[in-house]
Amino acid sequence: MSDVVLFDFWRSSASYRLRIALNLAGITYKSVPVDLPTKQHKTPEHLERNPQGFVPVLDIDGLRMTQSLAILDYLDQTRGLGLLPQEPAARAKATALAHAIAVDIHPVCNLQVAAYAVEITGREEARADWMKRFIRPGMVAFEKLLEGFEQNPYCCGNQPGLADICLMPQVYNANRWGAEIDDLPRVSAVARACAEHPAFAAAHPDKWQPTA
């Protein structure tokens, strides 16, 4: 049994990122589902793991780690994944590309924010409206940002990096909520390349959806 344990939820964007990275690193891990719709993330047991009540949480190397971007940085540094360029200017540009999704789109489109939109409007339809309101403009901006990089075939070159890891969960969310992105050629090309990569394919939520 692996000593690496990932506490995650199958549809969580941040959990999806870590599944990709763990696969890229060739790390065998045990997945322990934390069901968000039934609020398992708010139980005392999970709050002991992460006082913020978020997923993912990763137990690795004798450490318990939270916050997907911080964990991705740890995996990059300890497993030599090469998720970001070494040259400072190129590194800053690639990091900004990733953060355009992980820091700007994702936080306003998580489960509890969308649920609050439903609560204050009294309209279940507000959930999808909210998601499309923020996903579409954010992805249009991401498409424009990609102009500064050569997609060959990934966001920043010939190997998957941090931006690709952040992009694919957002592509999944866009498709789930009906946010139009098919007209974004750079995003679409990168998404196709990532979908064909075994580490990304094995991390896709469809592979982790509960069967019962």
Side-chain angles (χ1 to χ4, degrees):
M1 181 179 294
S2 173
D3 292 331
V4 180
V5 180
L6 177 65
F7 299 90
D8 70 344
F9 177 64
W10 66 285
R11 268 183 165 162
S12 157
S13 295
S15 298
Y16 189 175
R17 292 173 201 151
L18 285 199
R19 292 196 299 265
I20 295 168
L22 290 167
N23 292 342
L24 286 171
I27 296 174
T28 301
Y29 64 95
K30 176 184 177 183
S31 173
V32 177
V34 178
D35 190 65
L36 301 188
T38 59
K39 301 191 182 301
Q40 286 184 3
H41 58 305
K42 299 299 185 182
T43 62
E45 182 181 12
H46 189 69
L47 290 172
E48 182 66 25
R49 300 183 194 113
N50 181 359
Q52 289 183 288
F54 296 152
V55 291
V57 175
L58 183 68
D59 286 355
I60 189 170
D61 299 340
L63 303 169
R64 172 158 286 177
M65 308 188 75
T66 63
Q67 289 292 341
S68 66
L69 293 180
I71 301 171
L72 289 169
D73 182 62
Y74 177 82
L75 293 175
D76 191 23
Q77 294 195 54
T78 60
R79 269 60 177 189
L81 298 182
L83 299 183
L84 289 167
Q86 290 302 306
E87 194 278 319
R91 187 180 185 89
K93 287 179 62 179
T95 301
L97 191 64
H99 285 192
I101 289 176
V103 176
D104 292 330
I105 304 176
H106 175 224
V108 294
C109 292
N110 68 21
L111 184 67
Q112 63 181 353
V113 173
Y116 187 63
V118 173
E119 179 183 336
I120 62 176
T121 63
R123 297 174 54 253
E124 179 57 38
E125 298 82 3
R127 193 185 311 270
D129 293 344
W130 181 273
M131 296 297 195
K132 287 184 280 191
R133 165 65 182 81
F134 291 102
I135 293 175
R136 167 68 184 178
M139 294 295 273
V140 169
F142 188 85
E143 172 79 11
K144 186 69 175 177
L145 289 170
L146 279 176
E147 290 181 5
F149 301 86
E150 183 180 352
Q151 288 78 66
N152 188 30
Y154 303 105
C155 285
C156 304
N158 60 8
Q159 71 176 50
L162 184 63
D164 305 282
I165 290 173
C166 292
L167 172 64
M168 288 307 283
Q170 201 57 63
V171 168
Y172 173 82
N173 287 336
N175 292 331
R176 178 186 178 194
W177 295 108
E180 178 60 49
I181 60 169
D182 290 344
D183 60 333
L184 307 178
R186 294 178 181 84
V187 166
S188 297
V190 171
R192 286 193 297 270
C194 289
E196 293 173 0
H197 193 294
F200 285 77
H204 194 280
D206 288 351
K207 301 290 181 67
W208 294 91
Q209 183 176 5
T211 55

